Each structure stands twice: as C-alpha cells, then as structure tokens.
Amino acid sequence: MFEQTQAFEARRPLTLPARLLRSLHLDAPLLIALLAVCAIGLGVLYSAVGQNPALVVSQTLRLGVALAALLVVAQIPPAALRKWAPWLFLAGIGLLLATLFFGDVGKGARRWLDLGIVRFQPSEVLKLAVPLMVAWYLHERALPPAFHHVLVILLAAFAPAVLIAAQPDLGTAVLVACSGFFALLLAGLRLRYLFAAGALALAALPVLWHFMLDYQRRRVLTFMNPESDPLGAGYNIIQSKIAIGSGGVFGKGWLNGTQAHLEFLPERATDFIFAVIGEEFGLLGLLALLGLYLFIVARGLYIAANAQDTFSRLLAGSLSLTFFVYVFVNAGMVSGLLPVVGVPLPLVSFGGTSMVTLMAGFGILMSIHTRRKLLAA
Amino acid sequence: MAPRIRFKDPWREQRLFFGRLIAAAVVIVLLTGVLVARLVQLQVLNHPHFAGLSQDNRIRIEPVPPTRGLIYDRHGQILAENLPAYQLELIPEQVDDMRATLSALAELDLIAPGEIDRILALARRQRRFEPVTLNFRMDDEQVATFAVRRQHFPGVDIRARLRRHYPFGAATAHTVGYVGGLSARDLERLERANYAGTSQVGKTGVEFAYESLLHGQVGYRQVVVNARGRVLQRLETPAERPATVDGRRTSRLPVPGQDVVLGLDIHLQLAAIEALAGRRGAVVVLDTRDGDVLAMASTPGFDPNLFSTGISQTDYQALLSDPDNPLFDRALRGIYPPGSTIKPQMALALLHHRVVGPGERLFCPGHFRLPGSSHRFRDWRREGHGNVDLIEAMAQSCDVYFYAHGSTLGIDRMHEFLSAVGLGERTGIDIQGERPGLVPSREWKRAAFRRREDQAWFPGETVIAAIGQGYMNATMLQLAHSTAVLARRGVRIQPRLAIASADPLTGELINLPSVELSQVVLEDERHWDLIRDSMIAVTRGARGTARLQLRGTSYLVAGKTGTAQVFSVGQDEEYDEDEIDERLRDHALFVAFAPAEAPEISIAVIVENGGSGSSVAAPVARAVMDRYFAARER
C-alpha cells in the first residue's frame, strides 16, 4: 500500500501549497469554498450589526476557533473516528441528560451546560455523534439493513433528537434527526420502510402537535398565516419577506439595506441574516451564495462517493446532506417557505457554537478524503 | 421460510449507495429549484410591491392598545375609570441644548430639578427621534403654564393619554386593587403580543384577577416613517379603509376590555369604613343568598391612584414604613384568633356529636381544670356564670361551658366539624392573596413543629381551641362566610366580588355563575334553629353580650361577640387594659347574620387591639347593618 502511494506522488509532482495541504490532510476545493462563504458572512454581518466592528472581530475569533477545530479533526484518521464513535455518542447522550437536569436556562430554554471554564451546548456534539454512531453501527453489517437494525438506528437518531426537542430546541433536534436518518437512507434503507415511516409520521402529526410547546405551535400557525399575528411571531416573516423582496435583482447595495438598518428586521444578525443578504445584494447575491453552498454540498457528496469503506461513505454522505438541510431550512424559513425553526444560516449567522461543529464536520470530510487508500485499478 | 444468511457484498452495497447518492442529489437540485423560484417570486415578480413597502414610504406596524374595561359596583357606581391625563414629552433630535431646555422647564416647575440627570441619561440610551417622557402627571396649572410658553420649547410637547382613576380612592384600594406599569415579570405570564402598546396592567385585587377580561385585544395600525425611522404620519381610520400588506389587512381596531360589575355596594363599603373610624380593622359583609361580597373594607387604606400614575419612591416608602401598614388587606390576608366568634360553630359541633343535649346544664365556677391538672383555664368573667344551658352559655359567652364540653369533643372531631363549615381553608374568593387561616389538628401540629416534643397534641390545647384561641386563626372573610353557612342552614356559597361582565360596545351583560360548595348536612335539622336562637339571645337576651349595642334594631340580628387575646395573662394576674401596651390589647370581634328569621346578609368585624367585642366591634357591625336595612327600605 505504501509503495502505491509513493508511486502516485511520483507521477504528479506537487507544488508547495499542495504539499502543505496534503500533509495537513486538507482538501483545497472544499476549504476555499468554506473560506469564501465565511468571508461573505463577515461582510454581511458588518452591515447587519450596524457596522459595529467589535462584533465582527468577535465573530472572526470564533471563526478562527472553528477553523482550528477543522484542522485538528482533519488529522484524525477515519479508523480512529470509527473506534471512538460509540463512546462519543454515549458521552453526548450523557451530556444531554445532564443538561436536562442541571443545565443553565437562557431565553426560556435549557440548552447550556456550564463546565466551569466553558459553557457549551451538548446538543451540538450530537450533530456529529449521531451520524458517527449510525455509520459505525452499519459499517459491519450487511446492507441494506435488516428491519431490527433499522429500529436500533432510528432509536439512536431519534432519542437524542427528542431530548434536544425537550430543551426546547426544535431546530437542532431536526438537524440531529436528519443526520442519523440520512446515514440510514444512504445505507440503502428499503423504500417500503421509508414509505411506511412517511405514513406513520403523517399519522403522528396530531400527537406531535399535542406535545408541542405554545411558542412552537404559534410558530407553525403563524407560518400558515403570518398576517394573523403581525405584532407577534408573524412580524419576523412579514419583515424578512419585505427585506428580500425589496432587494430586487441587484439589491440595495452593501450597508444600504433599510429594513435591517431601521431595525424592522428582528434577529437580523443571527437567524434572519439571509434576508439582509437578499436586501443588500439582491437575487444575484443570493444565487451566488446558494451556488457556493451547493458547491460545498457537491464536494461533500463527491468525497462520499469516493470514500472506500461503508463507515466513511455513510458519514461523509450524511454530513453533506445535513449541511444542505441547514441551508435549505434557514433560507426556506426566512423566505416564508417553511415555519420558523431556530436554524442559523451556516457559517454566516452570528454565533459560535454551531460554527465549530460545522467546521469539525468538514474536518471529518477532509480526513476521509485525504486518507483514501489507492486501490489497484 | 428458512432463515437466510446474508453476507456483506461490497459491490452491491456500493451500487446501492451510489443510487441513493444520486437520488439525494436530484432531491437537492429540486429543492434548490423551489427555493430559487421562491426568491424569483419575491425579488423579481413581487419586487415592485415590496420595494414600495420598503423604500420611499416605510410603513411600520404600530400597536394600538385597547381601552381598559371599567369596574362598577352593584348599583352601577364607577369604581375604576379611565381619565385623560397629560404628560410632557421631549424629542431629543429637535432640541439643540438639552440641559438648558430641561433647566428652563425645571424653573417653571414643570419637572423636578432632580430629574434632569436621569432624563439626560435616558435620552442617551434611546434613539434620538423617540420621545422621552419628562413628567407623567401634569396638573391643570402645569398644563396652562406650558401651553402659553410652548413656542419657546421646540421639541417639547404635551401628550394626552388615558390614566386609570379610582374615584373612591382608599375605600376600594384592597378589593378593586390597582394597575401599575407593565414589568418584565408581568410579560412572562401574559401574552406578549397582546400587550404590545399596553403600559399598565392589573397588579392587585379585581384589577389583577380579571386582567384577561378587562384588558381587551390589541389593535394595530400602520404608521409612515421617514428614512431615519421617524413617524411622519399615522394612517388613521383603520376601520373604513383597512391598509394592507401582501393583500391582507394589516390594521385592526383594538377590542376594548370588558367592563366588570362587582357585587360590592360602595355605599355599604363607605359606611363600613366610616364605622371603623380610622382604627385598624376590617369589615366583611356577604350576601348569604348568592355569596356576593357587599362590602370588604380594610382600614387604614391607601390611595390606589398613587400607583396607577406611577408612585414616587417617597410615597411608597411612606406607605411601607407606616406602622399601621395600610397596604395590608386585613379582610383577606389578616389572620386573627377568632375567639368567641366561633362558639356558634363549636356549639353546633357539640350538639351534632351529642356531647351535650340542648337543655343540659353545666355549672360555671369561673374557671376550668382538666382532670389531674392544677392549671386553671379562666373564664372571661371571674365570678363565673353559674348554671348555664347552651343558649345561656352562648348569650353570655361562657368560656367554661366550651372548655369542658370542647375537651370532651376532642380536637379530631372539632377539626373535622369546623373545617366542614368553612374555617381553616380558603373560601376561594375570586381575587388573589386570600390566607387560609388555621383550624389546628394533630396532623397539622406534627407537620408544623420540628422538635419531637413539640409535635404531640396536648389536652390543654383542645381546651383553648374550643374558645377560638391558641393555634386557631381565621380571616374576616372566612368568619363572614362561616356565619353565612349558619344562616343558610348548611348551604355553602363561595364568596365572590365580580358578579357580571358587560360588553362596553353592545352593553350586553353576562352574569358570572355563583358557585355552591359542599353542603353541611346535620342529622337533626333542629340544631340549626337552636344555634340561631342562641345567637339571637346574644343580641336580645336579658344577659346577651351585645344586647346594649344592638338594642332597638328594626331587624332581628343573630350575632356573636368575640374578644380575642393577643397577649396571655399569667395565672394569677388581672388583665388591665390601661397597663398593657396598645398593640398587645385584645382584638374586638363581632359576627352576625340578619334578619335572623330570613337571612340576607352575614357580617364579620374586627377592630385590632380594640378591646371588647361587645363594646367596640358590635357597634361597627350595627352601623353597617343599619345602613344596609335603611337602603333596603327605600
């Protein structure tokens, strides 16, 4: 195996930056696209926070931490990740339970765990731990998975999602559930199970409704008819639609978005920053951003397609698809296609925790991609 | 079917994976297509519409708070209303020299000089086009002073708004309650959107309990703001020409709050306050037929209008540090030893459990001793009452009669019976803050004390509980309620303040139901008559304790006096009013229902540290009842 790698390198002489990237186990196309999105994000953020440089600096610091996480995770070989997967998962569940009982309350939700030095959201750990766990579980098993394996996996994916939804944090719960489900789907979940699950989910909707909290119900109702509550929850949607719509094709220009600057648009630096981009850079700006996101997803799927064992394949595929869900749910809710669940726009929204997890996820993708063993063709 | 063993097939699995990956890619493309279509719809097709909303004229939605419902007494007298009030406001961006302007206003006595720094700090924290309130309560003279000098103060103006006003002031402070500034804590329990634009919310009494009825539904309207966000124009007449965003109405008239009608009779309430004559005390009058609270007075009171206009720190401190504690609702929250006023209920318990027969006599030597103990439980009358039966024991309020038979009855049966007639638990009146009072029991004592030796129930404690002393305590509302149960021969009706709500637009009146609680059923119905007769003997009997105070009433009163000890006197000492600190003097109590033969009202009176129930509390009750029956005659 070792000689084969050597032979490969001998065939294609590498430039210095390429050699550096290779030795750090980084993937250049993915890294460039990620940095481009982050750069756009910082620019938009500067406008959205009312040109307050302090906030942009603090976001840049977070970005630095996130990139460091990417760099560290990229050094871990997939085999090691596979070995740790179940333990990470159990630790994540433990932290979630701890949060449920001892967590700090912020904005009416119990999401934070204070470990003395740092406060963090254990639900973020699960965004990686769940796909790792599912990929680990399916790695050794014959695919498509048998029925009882499907049940085990659903439990592994949905139990943490339910715990997270109880915090309550519906957005993260959806993402965690998605990440586990996508791994299962890619593993070749039989379509009849899929349809049965779909039917079951539809039947469960009224039950779910029953268990939803007031504010969650209100969001769904408001989504159906935002104008019913223009002073409350519907206000965000009405204002974000005006922001996006008034941007037109070319936008009002950077720092010229009146919706954002006159404080019509709530949460403009966090969950609703997509509307600021739409207002200031117009349809073209949004299409460019979506193009970058799609490129990242496509690169992720390409890495998944080229991965060489079941674990890596499922993990890479699941992480990439979940990233797309991130983008789609945020853009969908801000433009009024989906109800408002608290999902930030990845890499752009102000705030640090989710960015670190995202970048760590991309570190996993890069680790998978840069450690392919070349098989004799 | 034979179990099939499946092996891992890398090629098949990889093909399956690729298939799924491609499917996922297709779904991604489709979803992205939907998203792009949506963006095109918003940004290209509807762009002119949204641009119009956003650009030259920016329309902001502004909440229009509803008008708070009024509160009436049972005869339509207004107890809480909304009056226009004037406040002085300043818009920072229109004022060149803030400090000079504020100093000039302070010289005209329009704002307090001490406020200047606070106002400057406040103005720095908010946006420059938003008004800062300088003076929340301008009197007529201040309004006039400013009006003639308005041209010297660009950027400063008077704004009219509605202010809650309580015409009867202190008389209704505890029952009607008051409104105050909306706080962050209020918003946690209220629906936030509905309170956008609302500045005041019910804090106590009926104002708090009926907040959801009184408040109404918020309305909204569009206002035009300029590029800097300042309101240029309010689009009025939202009802005739509703403005729209996205083709839907975005303005709505507020729905005014419901008016609330109380069972309270304000004139009876005033009579009660007058009768209390500035002493610390409380009067509760209930309508025995439907539980309406006809009067519920606690003195001294305070002016609720201070709170509704934003109470100043000095005024608030003065109320808090007043030794008479005017903020304290003595009728609802004051718990007092009921003393002899629970003897009717106790006598009923004795009859019901056949501890004593109706005509059975007991010799009262002026004190009682438990078997095997040397401790003397003294009667209020040192020389004793002689040979007394139940009616005489009640009329003269003989303590020994109740000591002796109460100790036979025992604490368990005593607790059970008194609880059934409405003592020791909240009556469930429709405003918050009611105290439950206490009828002690063995179980209660075990839970209430930490030390093991304190947890046991002692026979001597039963003896003093029999005359409403010791651990026992009650609120005046409870005593009035329990007395009403006697009047209604066991029927218990929950006391209530609000009896109806009225729609201010249509005038439609909706009666609120009166709630009946579990009835007290006696084996022998004649016991009710006996108790009533014994209470009539209190006011009419030759030796009745209240015969002098209730002499010559046009209506027949069944009552009971009570003198409750605050301070225990030693075994061989004499209680001497003049020697004891005023705060340690006995509480004077009186309960009654009338007319005795066909009861309409029940009443409970306390005068704190007033002395004797017959000479101090009974005259208060009489004044109130006289007022009730005089009004009924008219």
Side-chain angles (χ1 to χ4, degrees):
Chain A
M1 212 55 90
F2 183 64
E3 284 110 321
Q4 281 169 339
T5 314
Q6 289 248 309
F8 176 78
E9 283 189 1
R11 273 206 305 276
R12 271 172 58 186
L14 293 172
T15 58
L16 180 72
R19 266 213 303 282
L20 192 65
L21 285 172
R22 171 159 278 270
S23 63
L24 288 174
H25 296 282
L26 298 176
D27 178 55
L30 192 52
L31 190 63
I32 290 165
L34 289 173
L35 290 176
V37 172
C38 290
I40 293 173
L42 287 178
V44 175
L45 191 67
Y46 180 66
S47 173
V49 296
Q51 295 153 51
N52 183 341
L55 291 176
V56 178
V57 168
S58 81
Q59 178 77 351
T60 312
L61 288 178
R62 290 201 187 102
L63 185 59
V65 173
L67 284 172
L70 182 150
L71 199 62
V72 169
V73 174
Q75 310 316 310
I76 305 171
L81 283 174
R82 198 172 76 220
K83 215 161 59 192
W84 301 345
W87 304 112
L88 188 68
F89 179 78
L90 288 178
I93 295 282
L95 287 171
L96 266 191
L97 288 173
T99 315
L100 212 54
F101 294 115
F102 316 111
D104 288 355
V105 179
K107 287 186 184 173
R110 197 177 279 273
R111 296 176 185 174
W112 296 86
L113 198 60
D114 198 337
L115 294 185
I117 322 158
V118 281
R119 256 159 55 92
F120 81 118
Q121 297 188 5
S123 52
E124 289 295 326
V125 175
L126 272 299
K127 283 183 182 170
L128 296 179
V130 165
L132 276 166
M133 176 71 189
V134 175
W136 169 82
Y137 187 84
L138 290 171
H139 180 67
E140 297 288 341
R141 296 190 162 73
L143 300 180
F147 184 66
H148 61 280
H149 293 314
V150 172
L151 288 186
V152 171
I153 289 161
L154 287 180
L155 188 69
F158 286 107
V162 167
L163 286 179
I164 294 167
Q167 290 182 349
D169 183 354
L170 203 54
T172 308
V174 167
L175 290 172
V176 166
C178 277
S179 66
F181 182 70
F182 286 147
L184 186 60
L185 206 61
L186 291 172
L189 176 70
R190 285 177 208 279
L191 290 176
R192 57 175 176 223
Y193 294 160
L194 189 64
F195 292 129
L200 213 64
L202 274 182
L205 276 183
V207 183
L208 190 68
W209 180 258
H210 179 76
F211 283 107
M212 276 208 258
L213 292 178
D214 257 357
Y215 88 97
Q216 292 168 335
R217 284 188 202 171
R218 229 177 1 254
R219 277 181 179 179
V220 175
L221 286 180
T222 308
F223 161 66
M224 309 278 193
N225 183 13
E227 284 75 13
S228 67
D229 187 15
L231 294 173
Y235 183 78
N236 290 20
I237 287 299
I238 293 174
Q239 294 302 337
S240 77
K241 273 160 65 181
I242 294 177
I244 294 175
S246 65
V249 177
F250 301 104
K252 297 174 185 172
W254 190 49
L255 305 183
N256 286 330
T258 51
Q259 281 290 111
H261 290 248
L262 294 181
E263 295 174 17
F264 281 102
L265 186 63
E267 304 280 335
R268 55 198 171 277
T270 51
D271 287 0
F272 280 77
I273 200 165
F274 189 78
V276 178
I277 304 172
E279 187 181 18
E280 299 193 347
F281 300 98
L283 182 61
L284 293 181
L286 288 181
L287 288 182
L289 183 70
L290 287 178
L292 271 175
Y293 278 132
L294 276 190
F295 176 81
I296 292 170
V297 174
R299 183 71 187 168
L301 294 181
Y302 172 80
I303 289 172
N306 285 292
Q308 286 164 344
D309 59 48
T310 308
F311 174 76
S312 307
R313 264 205 295 270
L314 296 182
L315 187 56
S318 158
L319 289 173
S320 310
L321 292 181
T322 309
F323 183 75
F324 176 76
V325 170
Y326 240 117
V327 176
F328 183 76
V329 168
N330 181 272
M333 80 184 196
V334 174
S335 57
L337 278 178
L338 294 174
V340 176
V341 289
V343 173
L345 187 62
L347 308 178
V348 175
S349 283
F350 186 74
T353 2
S354 73
M355 190 146 66
V356 174
T357 330
L358 275 168
M359 285 301 195
F362 286 115
I364 294 178
L365 284 182
M366 292 186 185
S367 164
I368 290 172
H369 196 56
T370 53
R371 285 192 180 76
R372 279 169 304 152
K373 294 167 183 146
L374 294 176
L375 298 170
Chain B
M1 203 172 94
R4 206 176 54 183
I5 299 163
R6 292 169 61 210
F7 295 99
K8 266 185 97 68
D9 176 350
W11 277 113
R12 182 163 169 268
E13 286 181 10
Q14 199 167 10
R15 271 209 319 281
L16 194 59
F17 178 76
F18 282 145
R20 291 293 162 95
L21 214 53
I22 288 164
V26 170
V27 171
I28 286 176
V29 169
L30 285 178
L31 288 178
T32 309
V34 171
L35 197 56
V36 170
R38 173 65 170 177
L39 294 177
V40 168
Q41 182 202 2
L42 290 176
Q43 299 193 294
V44 180
L45 303 179
N46 289 338
H47 170 65
H49 169 70
F50 286 120
L53 286 179
S54 156
Q55 274 168 10
D56 303 328
N57 286 327
R58 273 155 277 256
I59 290 173
R60 199 201 299 244
I61 292 167
E62 188 183 73
V64 186
T67 312
R68 197 172 175 83
L70 308 181
I71 300 174
Y72 294 98
D73 91 335
R74 66 188 300 118
H75 300 303
Q77 283 273 10
I78 288 186
L79 305 181
E81 61 189 332
N82 305 308
L83 291 183
Y86 297 99
Q87 61 182 34
L88 197 61
E89 292 185 349
L90 175 150
I91 295 170
E93 70 171 6
Q94 295 175 2
V95 178
D96 295 329
D97 187 344
M98 286 275 287
R99 190 172 283 278
T101 303
L102 293 175
S103 304
L105 288 170
E107 263 171 47
L108 290 169
D109 210 18
L110 294 173
I111 58 175
E115 291 275 87
I116 292 180
D117 285 322
R118 188 189 65 85
I119 292 166
L120 285 172
L122 191 68
R124 268 194 296 275
R125 275 212 306 276
Q126 65 186 51
R127 288 187 290 175
R128 289 181 53 74
F129 52 80
E130 285 182 346
V132 188
T133 304
L134 306 179
N135 184 343
F136 283 97
R137 273 179 288 174
M138 289 184 86
D139 57 35
D140 292 345
E141 200 177 320
Q142 287 176 319
V143 171
T145 307
F146 181 77
V148 295
R149 294 174 180 80
R150 179 178 271 152
Q151 72 277 16
H152 303 306
F153 295 100
V156 183
D157 214 344
I158 294 174
R159 195 173 75 113
R161 64 182 183 114
L162 288 178
R163 161 176 83 81
R164 198 67 160 169
H165 179 69
Y166 305 99
F168 292 97
T172 59
H174 295 294
T175 42
V176 171
Y178 52 80
V179 296
L182 190 67
S183 70
R185 265 185 57 204
D186 291 321
L187 281 176
E188 279 171 22
R189 66 186 165 81
L190 301 167
E191 195 195 334
R192 203 172 272 265
N194 197 27
Y195 279 78
T198 298
S199 57
Q200 293 196 312
V201 62
K203 296 285 187 184
T204 61
V206 172
E207 291 273 31
F208 177 84
Y210 288 91
E211 176 65 31
S212 56
L213 273 180
L214 289 165
H215 181 264
Q217 284 288 321
V218 69
Y220 39 91
R221 66 180 160 205
Q222 300 182 322
V223 293
V224 180
V225 296
N226 70 4
R228 293 167 69 188
R230 222 179 104 200
V231 174
L232 296 175
Q233 181 199 349
R234 291 197 161 75
L235 301 175
E236 296 295 346
T237 68
E240 292 84 50
R241 202 167 49 79
T244 56
V245 166
D246 258 11
R248 283 179 231 226
R249 278 184 65 165
T250 52
S251 64
R252 185 179 74 186
L253 279 175
V255 180
Q258 297 281 301
D259 294 340
V260 171
V261 182
L262 304 187
L264 206 71
D265 177 344
I266 189 65
H267 293 295
L268 202 61
Q269 175 93 350
L270 291 171
I273 289 168
E274 195 190 325
L276 284 168
R279 293 169 290 189
R280 280 172 287 113
V283 174
V284 175
V285 185
L286 297 178
D287 190 316
T288 56
R289 293 160 297 186
D290 47 21
D292 291 2
V293 175
L294 296 173
M296 187 153 83
S298 168
T299 55
F302 59 93
D303 184 2
N305 293 306
L306 288 176
F307 286 87
S308 67
T309 47
I311 190 165
S312 73
Q313 199 57 36
T314 11
D315 286 346
Y316 191 54
Q317 274 308 325
L319 283 175
L320 282 181
S321 56
D322 188 328
D324 287 344
N325 203 358
L327 292 175
F328 184 62
D329 185 351
R330 293 178 159 77
L332 196 64
R333 295 186 53 76
I335 47 174
Y336 304 96
S340 303
T341 57
I342 52 113
K343 279 180 183 165
Q345 288 87 340
M346 197 64 71
L348 202 54
L350 297 177
L351 289 171
H352 179 68
H353 287 293
R354 309 204 181 282
V355 170
V356 65
E360 200 178 317
R361 292 190 168 269
L362 181 122
F363 181 73
C364 163
H367 61 84
F368 170 75
R369 243 184 259 175
L370 278 168
S373 157
S374 65
H375 184 89
R376 288 168 164 218
F377 294 93
R378 300 196 302 187
D379 195 279
W380 67 271
R381 195 181 157 104
R382 205 182 170 83
E383 57 274 27
H385 301 276
N387 231 348
V388 289
D389 67 3
L390 188 135
I391 291 197
E392 285 159 351
M394 281 281 290
Q396 302 171 30
S397 203
C398 171
D399 291 334
V400 170
Y401 184 90
F402 286 92
Y403 289 149
H405 293 308
S407 103
T408 312
L409 180 67
I411 189 62
D412 298 329
R413 290 191 287 181
M414 196 183 284
H415 171 80
E416 187 196 9
F417 194 89
L418 294 191
S419 301
V421 294
L423 293 166
E425 61 180 49
R426 291 184 177 86
T427 63
I429 190 173
D430 51 348
I431 60 176
Q432 273 73 13
E434 183 188 10
R435 292 282 297 270
L438 176 67
V439 174
S441 64
R442 292 178 204 276
E443 202 178 34
W444 165 80
K445 206 183 173 201
R446 258 198 306 278
F449 288 90
R450 263 170 81 106
R451 294 214 330 244
R452 189 144 213 121
E453 58 267 36
D454 292 337
Q455 290 179 343
W457 184 265
F458 298 107
E461 293 170 336
T462 310
V463 175
I464 54 171
I467 61 156
Q469 293 280 171
Y471 298 118
M472 193 177 293
N473 61 47
T475 66
M476 287 309 109
L477 178 64
Q478 268 177 338
L479 287 182
H481 170 63
S482 187
T483 306
V485 175
L486 299 177
R488 290 293 308 273
R489 304 166 68 88
V491 176
R492 292 181 62 194
I493 300 174
Q494 198 168 58
R496 57 174 190 166
L497 274 163
I499 57 173
S501 69
D503 190 313
L505 301 177
T506 62
E508 189 194 354
L509 206 67
I510 299 165
N511 288 315
L512 301 169
S514 96
V515 178
E516 205 165 302
L517 305 169
S518 59
Q519 198 178 340
V520 184
V521 181
L522 295 186
E523 272 171 45
D524 189 344
E525 285 284 308
R526 283 172 309 178
H527 291 159
W528 294 114
D529 302 323
L530 194 60
I531 293 303
R532 184 196 60 205
D533 293 347
S534 74
M535 290 173 77
I536 293 172
V538 171
T539 66
R540 285 287 192 266
R543 301 180 70 184
T545 50
R547 67 189 187 283
L548 299 173
Q549 290 75 23
L550 287 151
R551 180 183 291 159
T553 50
S554 60
Y555 45 92
L556 190 58
V557 179
K560 184 71 196 80
T561 55
T563 304
Q565 270 188 20
V566 178
F567 173 70
S568 46
V569 185
Q571 274 286 289
D572 300 308
E573 290 171 48
E574 190 64 20
Y575 173 85
D576 183 350
E577 205 170 89
D578 299 331
E579 273 183 18
I580 293 175
D581 181 36
E582 201 234 318
R583 296 273 164 168
L584 297 176
R585 274 188 215 155
D586 294 345
H587 293 322
L589 293 99
F590 189 75
V591 298
F593 62 84
E597 63 282 8
E600 292 177 20
I601 58 170
S602 70
I603 182 168
V605 172
I606 185 166
V607 177
E608 276 185 25
N609 312 116
S612 128
S614 39
S615 63
V616 176
V620 173
R622 166 150 196 189
V624 176
M625 288 189 289
D626 278 351
R627 161 77 216 185
Y628 174 84
F629 287 102
R632 200 187 59 158
E633 295 307 309
R634 263 188 270 124

